[in-house]
Structure formats: C-alpha cells, structure tokens
C-alpha cells in the first residue's frame, strides 16, 4: 500500500511489472525506514519508482509533475487586496499582464526565492536588479549587522557616505560629485530639477518606452508598469507638467534632431535609459548614444543617462563605460544599495554645485545616505570589483539567453532577444526590437502562458514582457541548465 500507480502503459499490469514491483518493494521500504530516498527505472516502460523521506512512495511516469500549490499565497493576496490597492506596493507585482495569482515570498537565498507555500524557484528578477551578488549574502549581512549595532538612521553626516561616494566617483566616468537619495524615482526627480536649474530651460526630451520613475514629468509614453498594465499617460498628471516633456523614438537620431529644431534653445536635457530595461531589453547602437552626446553639445542641453538599472550591472562603470559615451549627469539606484532602498544622481562638478546647500536648487531627504544602505552598497561594490565578476555574469547570462532562444525557435516560436553582462530579455516576435513600437508588437498573450508555465516549473521571471531579467553571481551552471530544460518543456506546451 506504500506504492501508488499513477501512470503507465498497459504492459504495466503484466507479470514482468509485478515481479519488478515486488523486487523493489523491500528496497523501498528499507530505504524509507532509514530516512533515505530512492529512484529506479523499470526497463522497457520508462516508468520510475521514487521514494522520498515519507511514508508514501509514488510510481509515476517521468513526465508527471505535481501542480504548483500556492494556496497560502492566494489567501494572503485575497486579504492584501482589501488592504492595499491591487494588493501590492508596486503595480507590476500584481501579475496583471500574465494572469494568475502572484506568489507571496517568504525568504530568498543565493539564486533562489521561496514562497509561503514552501515552493522554491530559480530567481531571475533579483528584487528587480539589486541582488547582483545573490540574495541574502553573508558578506553583506555581516557588514549590516555591525552597522546595525550603531543605529539604523542618523539624519546626520556619516563616514560611510564618503566611502560610497568615492567608490561611485571612481567607477562612473561622468560623476565628479554625487547626491544620495532613497530611490531611483527620487534621484530622477532631483536630476530633472537640477537640469532645469542649470540650463534655465524647462523642456526635456525623453524616449518612448523609457521609464524614469513616477514623477509627473516622466509619465509620458513611459515604460515599466505603465506599459505592462497598458495604461495611458497617468491620470492626475497636470497638463502643464506633460507639456514640457517631449518624446522621441529610441535609436532614432532624426526624431531627436527634429524636436531640437522645433524647440530651439528651449531643451534643458535629453534623458534616456542607455540600455532600455523598462520596455523589455532594448540595446542602443553606439552611434545613437554618441549622436545624442553630439546633439547636446551643439544645442546646449544636458545629456542624462538613467543608470538606475544599468549602473554597476552591465559593467562596473555602467553603460557609459561599456559604450564609451559619457553623459553630463547620471542617475543610479538598485545595485548601489545592495538590496536596501537607495538612489543617487551625480555628474560634473560645475553642475552638481547648483544643488543645495552648495547652490540654490533644493532637494532633501530624511533617510538619504542612511548608514544601512551605505554599508550594503559599499560591500556590494567591493564584491563586484573583484577580478572576473563581470566575465562570469556575461558567460552565465549568454548561456541562459542563448539556450532559451534556441529552445523557443526549435519549438517553432518567433522569439528574439539578447543580453549585456547580467541583464537580459527576449520578446515573442521575430525582431529585431530596436524601439518601443517594436516591443509593442510582441505577443504578450504567448508570453503570459510561457511565464505561467515557467513558474510552475520552478523558475521565477519578471511578470511582464516589458521588463528585463537579471542574472546574479550566485546562479550556477546547474541552475541555468535546469532553466533551459524547463523552457524546452514549456515551449512545447504553448
């Protein structure tokens, strides 16, 4: 009675099967009694007999996989929707674009996340980028523990602000001075005001599909959750705020030149994600980035790279180091906080000295530069600076995305994508995807099915076609191989 026949061909009832089962029963009971598992395959049937550390052993076909049990997650989300809008603290977490219920996390460790129902997943979201070294890293936690003994927030200058500031200045080509904030959105808000204060101009140019946080002036043709949820430009944004934001096409210099000509001497800044991660993963051409640099120099505008996502992610010096194009101002976040809330904007000294109290452009924050975030950032950057780290990220991510794309094409799907170091993405379309309009043509319904299938296979991916994925130093070759094999199974079903 400790054996259950779940699936098998008709021949499983013949004498050979009976003899096979009888011969293994003694071994099964013995290994279970000793607290060990076992696994055996019956010749000619493909059936496997597996024992676990439990009183029940199941005989099943090798293709059978138990359905993902998320009972506790569903109950928690049902309650959450009565307490918080949509049940979440940030919209994309609600799984609106992929369907089904979100899984509720209980803990994270290394390359893995665990939900409240005890399910384990290989994680390629990495808390949306910061977990580049892996989750819950002991080195970072040990440093945080020591800092925690001194207090969680000072509201006053601390030495670690200097330490992290010097590390950022040394690493990022454009940064000569830096101001710390509490989030990427806050950094972009400060950056926008600074650009206007410095140039004495009001208008900015951004690009369709690029996301720079939820400040009013940036919620025009935005990416990330706005694109994921299919929302129009957000209600509540005053007409005046939107009027000063002009939109161009990514990877299209002509569209930028036209706006500059139509608004001569009125453009304060050109702002972009140097690698788009909030409309899916979209790579610029070097010519496009250099062209923007030249246009800003010609028209007296400030060039801003929003490196909240790419900073310390695609190279230690960010996208500007990777592509060899230096902006005037850079915004940062995610990785530089090592998993704690943080943001920063920095740039040329002559521009940054307009920020109060050195200058008159006001921006402040109660928890800015708090000792815990500074400590986590310092330790994370120390780890990333060790030899071979970015080479490992590149090799791991290239193996993953190449395997996924090959599996998709082999199964007959139109897929395209790529990676730079530990940042990647792909689309359900033939491609190439060079701009927002190309990304919008991807098959989001198919992505939703694929996402759900991968979740049931134990792989946690961003719940949107329009979000980049992230590799960590903690991911192993075994994790990547398992992900590719899971992808093959899911591609075959959808």
């Amino acid at each position: 009675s400790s054996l259950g026949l779940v699936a098998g061909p008709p021949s499983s009832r013949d004498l050979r099967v009976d003899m096979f089962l009888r011969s293994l029963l003694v071994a099964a009971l013995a290994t279970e009694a000793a607290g060990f598992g076992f696994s055996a395959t019956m010749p000619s049937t493909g059936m496997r007999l597996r024992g676990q550390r439990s009183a029940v052993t199941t005989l099943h076909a090798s293709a059978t996989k138990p359905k993902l049990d998320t009972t506790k997650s569903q109950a928690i989300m049902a309650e959450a929707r009565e307490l918080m809008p949509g049940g979440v603290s940030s919209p994309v977490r609600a799984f609106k674009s992929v369907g089904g219920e979100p899984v509720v996390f209980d803990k994270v460790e290394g390359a893995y996340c665990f939900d409240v129902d005890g399910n384990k997943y290989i994680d390629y979201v990495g808390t949306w980028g910061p977990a580049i070294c892996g989750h819950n890293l002991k080195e970072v936690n040990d440093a945080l523990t020591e800092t925690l003994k001194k207090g969680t927030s000072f509201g006053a200058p601390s030495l670690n602000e200097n330490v992290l500031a010097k590390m950022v200045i040394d690493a990022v080509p454009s940064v000569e001075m830096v101001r710390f904030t509490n989030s990427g959105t806050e950094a972009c808000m400060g950056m926008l005001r600074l650009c206007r204060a410095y140039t004495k101009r009001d208008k900015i140019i951004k690009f369709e599909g690029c996301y720079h946080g939820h400040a009013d002036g940036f919620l025009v043709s935005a990416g990330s959750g706005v694109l994921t949820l299919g929302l129009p430009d957000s209600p509540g944004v005053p007409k005046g705020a939107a009027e000063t934001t002009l939109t161009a096409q990514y990877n299209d210099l002509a569209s930028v030149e036209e706006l500059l000509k139509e608004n001569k001497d009125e453009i304060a800044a050109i702002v972009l994600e140097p690698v788009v991660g909030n409309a899916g993963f979209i790579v610029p051409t070097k010519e496009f980035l250099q062209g923007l640099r030249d246009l800003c120099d010609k028209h007296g505008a400030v060039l801003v790279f929003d490196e909240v996502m790419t900073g310390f992610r695609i190279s230690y010096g960010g996208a500007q180091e990777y592509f060899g194009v230096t902006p005037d101002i850079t915004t940062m976040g995610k990785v530089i906080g090592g998993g704690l809330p943080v943001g920063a904007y920095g740039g040329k000294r002559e521009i940054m000295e307009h920020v109060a109290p050195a200058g008159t452009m006001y921006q402040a924050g109660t928890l800015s530069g708090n000792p815990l975030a500074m400590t986590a950032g310092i330790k994370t950057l120390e780890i990333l600076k060790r030899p071979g780290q970015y080479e490992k990220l590149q090799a791991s991510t290239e193996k993953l995305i190449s395997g996924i794309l090959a599996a998709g094409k082999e199964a007959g799907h139109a897929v395209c994508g790529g990676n730079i170091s530990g940042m990647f993405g792909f689309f359900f379309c033939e491609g190439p995807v060079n701009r927002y309009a190309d990304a919008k043509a991807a098959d989001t319904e198919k992505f939703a099915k694929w996402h759900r299938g991968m979740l049931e296979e134990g792989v946690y991916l961003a719940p949107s076609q329009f979000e980049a994925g992230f590799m960590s130093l903690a991911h192993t070759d075994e994790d990547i191989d398992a992900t590719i094999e899971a992808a093959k199974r899911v591609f075959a079903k959808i």
Side-chain angles (χ1 to χ4, degrees):
S1 62
S2 66
L3 295 173
L5 189 63
V6 177
S11 61
S12 65
R13 297 184 179 88
D14 66 16
L15 182 59
R16 289 184 300 106
V17 177
D18 184 56
M19 291 176 66
F20 176 76
L21 296 178
R22 288 174 183 271
S23 67
L24 287 175
L25 180 56
V26 174
L29 295 175
T31 53
E32 286 192 337
F36 298 102
F38 73 94
S39 177
T41 303
M42 188 178 77
S44 79
T45 68
M47 294 164 60
R48 289 184 63 80
L49 185 65
R50 290 178 180 159
Q52 306 297 333
R53 297 186 62 163
S54 68
V56 178
T57 302
T58 303
L59 179 67
H60 59 85
S62 59
T64 302
K65 186 175 181 65
K67 184 175 175 62
L68 189 69
D69 181 6
T70 57
T71 305
K72 291 181 181 177
S73 284
Q74 292 178 44
I76 291 171
M77 287 306 303
E79 180 184 44
R81 281 188 286 271
E82 297 299 317
L83 304 171
M84 298 174 283
V88 293
S89 297
S90 190
V92 74
R93 301 176 192 175
F95 278 34
K96 287 286 188 181
S97 71
V98 292
E101 286 279 6
V103 294
V104 176
F105 281 18
D106 178 52
K107 62 179 181 179
V108 290
E109 185 75 31
Y112 313 112
C113 49
F114 302 81
D115 68 22
V116 292
D117 291 277
N119 300 303
K120 176 182 177 181
Y121 309 87
I122 303 171
D123 179 24
Y124 293 104
V125 177
T127 186
W128 300 97
I132 190 170
C133 299
H135 290 297
N136 204 17
L137 197 66
K138 185 177 185 301
E139 280 189 73
V140 177
N141 288 351
D142 287 347
L144 284 171
T145 298
E146 290 304 308
T147 299
L148 190 59
K149 295 175 182 177
K150 300 178 181 180
T152 58
S153 178
F154 297 159
S158 68
L159 174 60
N160 277 353
E161 290 177 82
N162 290 16
V163 175
L164 185 56
K166 285 189 285 187
M167 295 177 81
V168 170
I169 290 168
D170 288 345
V172 184
S174 67
V175 178
E176 296 174 356
M177 299 185 81
V178 63
R179 166 60 62 87
F180 291 113
T181 65
N182 294 293
S183 70
T185 286
E186 191 181 339
C188 287
M189 290 169 65
M191 167 274 292
L192 178 58
R193 187 177 300 150
L194 175 59
C195 289
R196 287 169 169 163
Y198 176 71
T199 61
K200 297 180 173 58
R201 301 172 179 178
D202 291 338
K203 295 180 180 180
I204 64 165
I205 295 175
K206 69 176 291 290
F207 295 86
E208 283 193 356
C210 284
Y211 179 74
H212 308 290
H214 56 79
D216 285 355
F218 287 123
L219 288 180
V220 177
S221 297
S224 193
V226 178
L227 178 54
T228 294
L229 300 178
L231 299 175
D233 296 343
S234 179
V237 175
K239 183 179 179 182
E243 284 177 345
T244 55
T245 302
L246 311 177
T247 307
Q249 299 295 318
Y250 200 80
N251 273 326
D252 183 350
L253 280 175
S255 69
V256 181
E257 290 183 276
E258 184 177 350
L259 289 173
L260 286 166
K261 289 177 182 177
E262 291 174 354
N263 300 271
K264 185 175 173 58
D265 298 330
E266 294 183 87
I267 303 299
I270 298 176
V271 184
L272 75 155
E273 293 179 77
V275 176
V276 180
N278 288 291
F281 178 77
I282 305 175
V283 179
T285 64
K286 169 69 181 290
E287 293 73 22
F288 174 64
L289 295 181
Q290 185 59 56
L292 294 178
R293 174 70 278 172
D294 296 341
L295 286 172
C296 283
D297 291 341
K298 179 180 178 180
H299 293 273
V302 175
L303 179 61
V304 180
F305 280 5
D306 180 350
E307 297 227 43
V308 169
M309 194 172 285
T310 56
F312 295 92
R313 163 61 66 175
I314 68 171
S315 77
Y316 192 72
Q320 55 200 267
E321 179 186 65
Y322 182 88
F323 289 102
V325 177
T326 304
D328 300 301
I329 298 178
T330 301
T331 57
M332 294 161 281
K334 297 186 185 294
V335 170
I336 65 165
L340 274 71
V342 76
Y345 60 101
K348 293 180 177 178
R349 181 176 297 273
E350 66 179 272
I351 299 176
M352 292 301 295
E353 285 182 340
H354 285 260
V355 179
T360 57
M361 194 290 292
Y362 192 77
Q363 178 268 317
T366 299
L367 297 175
S368 295
N370 77 82
L372 292 178
M374 299 296 99
T375 296
I378 291 166
K379 182 55 65 174
T380 297
L381 297 196
E382 285 177 0
I383 294 168
L384 289 174
K385 201 169 184 180
R386 294 170 188 167
Q389 302 290 54
Y390 287 93
E391 290 79 3
K392 181 181 188 300
L393 285 168
Q394 172 61 28
S396 297
T397 317
E398 186 174 19
K399 177 181 177 180
L400 174 73
I401 196 66
S402 296
I404 289 175
L405 292 176
K409 291 174 182 176
E410 186 177 343
H413 298 289
V415 289
C416 66
N419 78 286
I420 300 178
S421 187
M423 182 176 174
F424 67 89
F426 74 97
F427 298 90
F428 276 97
C429 64
E430 291 290 350
V433 174
N434 294 317
R435 55 185 58 84
Y436 173 83
D438 300 336
K440 286 283 285 180
D443 189 338
T444 54
E445 290 186 8
K446 184 174 285 188
F447 177 85
K449 293 176 183 177
W450 192 77
H451 180 273
R452 175 52 57 175
M454 291 298 283
L455 192 68
E456 291 177 354
E457 289 279 351
V459 179
Y460 191 82
L461 297 160
S464 169
Q465 173 77 94
F466 305 116
E467 297 285 355
F470 302 104
M471 181 69 68
S472 81
L473 293 169
H475 285 86
T476 65
D477 280 342
E478 290 76 17
D479 294 328
I480 297 166
D481 289 339
T483 303
I484 294 170
E485 290 303 311
K488 290 178 181 178
R489 291 190 290 272
V490 177
F491 277 131
K493 295 177 184 176
I494 62 174

